[in-house]
Amino acid sequence: MPGGVFDGYEPKMPGFVTKKFYMIVTVVIAVVMVLLIINPFVTIGAGERGVVLNFGAVQPVVLNEGLHILIPIVQKVVKMDVQVHKSQTNADASSKDLQEVTSVIAINYNILPDKANLIYQTIGTSYKERIIDPAVQEIVKAVTARYTAEELITKRPIVSAEMKSGLVERLIKHQIVVDEFSIMNFSFSKLFMEAIESKQTAEQLALKASRDLDRIKIEAEQKITQAKAEAEALRLQKENISPDLIKLRRIEATMKAIDKWNGILPKVTSQNMPFIDVKEIDQ
């Protein structure tokens, strides 16, 4: 404006706005960089739980699956696997009859999800080596000692149930759940296995001999029964024989001889020629 107060003044608003915009962008970029560096976010995946640590101290809260925000520098999260896992352990023990027994035990287990912080605080992440394997060893020794080597084979389901029951009770104290338990194998010394095989062979031979003896007895009893029946039949036949029956049989024999005779008298008579008594026929 000529002659006015603002003579010689040039507005600088566009430059001021541009400078402010650059400052905002710079601050945003800096914040993003800081966030990327300190990373206050944590993602808990499927089958996991998060244990929160404040300056290394375990907190009572357990993070479930999903995205969570932490306090940078102050908090840290340790991820714990809560899925079902398989563990296989070899256990050496002695039976009630002092036979050496080697067992292969397989279990499926998982930690209690809502107790993941207690497990991390008391045991850590190496709970298989520190808790599960020693527990399996101890339970197998205790149960095996109550049975003979032969009973371990013949009563295997009972032995397995006792071992599982003892292991479940032992591990639940450490927040570990046993889902499945199975005895993969029992192995004994070579000498004992040979003795078992010999015993089984002897039992099979004894069983065969017993069956043969039973068969012989039955056959003998059948023969005796048959002989008695034949003797009884002969006795009845003798009781039924009478002079009239003998006479009837003679007449029947004579009639058969007449039927076969062709009417020609033999030139030579032998003792074998049947004698025909005409009087008997007439009667």
Side-chain angles (χ1 to χ4, degrees), residues 215-231:
R215 177 179 55 79
I216 293 172
K217 288 181 178 179
I218 293 174
E219 291 176 353
E221 291 175 356
Q222 290 175 343
K223 290 180 179 179
I224 293 172
T225 302
Q226 182 178 359
K228 288 181 178 179
E230 292 176 353

Side-chain angles (χ1 to χ4, degrees), residues 228-245:
K228 288 181 178 179
E230 292 176 353
E232 181 66 15
L234 290 175
R235 185 184 67 80
L236 294 175
Q237 288 179 4
K238 288 180 180 180
E239 290 181 354
N240 293 328
I241 294 176
S242 64
D244 292 338
L245 181 61

Side-chain angles (χ1 to χ4, degrees), residues 10-272:
E10 295 181 0
K12 298 181 180 180
M13 292 299 293
F16 176 76
V17 172
T18 302
K19 185 176 181 182
K20 186 176 181 180
F21 174 76
Y22 285 148
M23 290 179 62
I24 293 174
V25 171
T26 302
V27 171
V28 170
I29 294 175
V31 171
V32 171
M33 294 296 294
V34 171
L35 291 176
L36 291 176
I37 294 173
I38 62 177
N39 189 20
F41 304 101
V42 62
T43 301
I44 306 301
E48 294 179 334
R49 292 296 184 272
V51 178
V52 181
L53 307 179
N54 285 358
F55 292 111
V58 177
Q59 301 302 301
V61 63
V62 176
L63 301 181
N64 293 323
E65 301 170 3
L67 180 65
H68 301 272
I69 299 176
L70 303 177
I71 301 175
I73 302 174
V74 176
Q75 291 183 325
K76 178 183 176 182
V77 171
V78 177
K79 297 179 181 180
M80 299 286 286
D81 192 342
V82 297
Q83 292 180 331
V84 176
H85 292 273
K86 179 181 178 180
S87 171
Q88 184 167 307
T89 306
N90 295 332
D92 296 327
S94 296
S95 63
K96 187 177 181 180
D97 52 351
L98 302 181
Q99 294 291 334
E100 294 182 0
V101 184
T102 300
S103 306
V104 180
I105 307 299
I107 67 170
N108 290 344
Y109 69 94
N110 67 281
I111 65 174
L112 291 173
D114 57 339
K115 302 295 182 181
N117 54 340
L118 296 179
I119 296 176
Y120 181 79
Q121 187 176 35
T122 57
I123 304 172
T125 57
S126 302
Y127 38 83
K128 179 185 180 301
E129 294 78 9
R130 298 179 62 182
I131 299 297
I132 295 177
D133 289 344
V136 170
Q137 294 277 354
E138 184 174 344
I139 294 299
V140 169
K141 290 180 185 295
V143 176
T144 301
R146 295 199 290 266
Y147 294 89
T148 64
E150 186 175 355
E151 289 175 337
L152 291 174
I153 299 174
T154 58
K155 299 180 179 181
R156 183 167 178 165
I158 299 176
V159 174
S160 179
E162 287 190 17
M163 289 182 178
K164 180 180 179 180
S165 176
L167 190 62
V168 168
E169 183 179 354
R170 179 72 177 272
L171 293 183
I172 197 63
K173 298 178 181 178
H174 301 282
Q175 323 304 328
I176 300 175
V177 178
V178 177
D179 299 300
E180 296 291 339
F181 179 96
S182 60
I183 302 174
M184 302 294 293
N185 186 36
F186 274 135
S187 59
F188 305 89
S189 64
K190 182 179 179 181
L191 183 62
F192 176 77
M193 295 303 296
E194 291 176 351
I196 289 292
E197 185 177 354
S198 299
K199 182 178 179 180
Q200 291 177 343
T201 302
E203 289 177 350
Q204 292 174 355
L205 292 175
L207 180 60
K208 182 178 182 301
S210 177
R211 290 176 177 174
D212 291 341
L213 181 60
D214 292 340
R215 177 179 55 79
I216 293 172
K217 288 181 178 179
I218 293 174
E219 291 176 353
E221 291 175 356
Q222 290 175 343
K223 290 180 179 179
I224 293 172
T225 302
Q226 182 178 359
K228 288 181 178 179
E230 292 176 353
E232 181 66 15
L234 290 175
R235 185 184 67 80
L236 294 175
Q237 288 179 4
K238 288 180 180 180
E239 290 181 354
N240 293 328
I241 294 176
S242 64
D244 292 338
L245 181 61
I246 294 174
K247 191 174 182 180
L248 179 60
R249 293 290 182 264
R250 291 176 60 186
I251 293 173
E252 291 176 350
T254 302
M255 293 300 296
K256 290 181 179 180
I258 291 173
D259 292 338
K260 294 181 179 180
W261 185 41
N262 56 8
I264 301 175
L265 293 174
K267 296 180 180 181
V268 180
T269 302
S270 65
Q271 295 179 353
N272 295 330

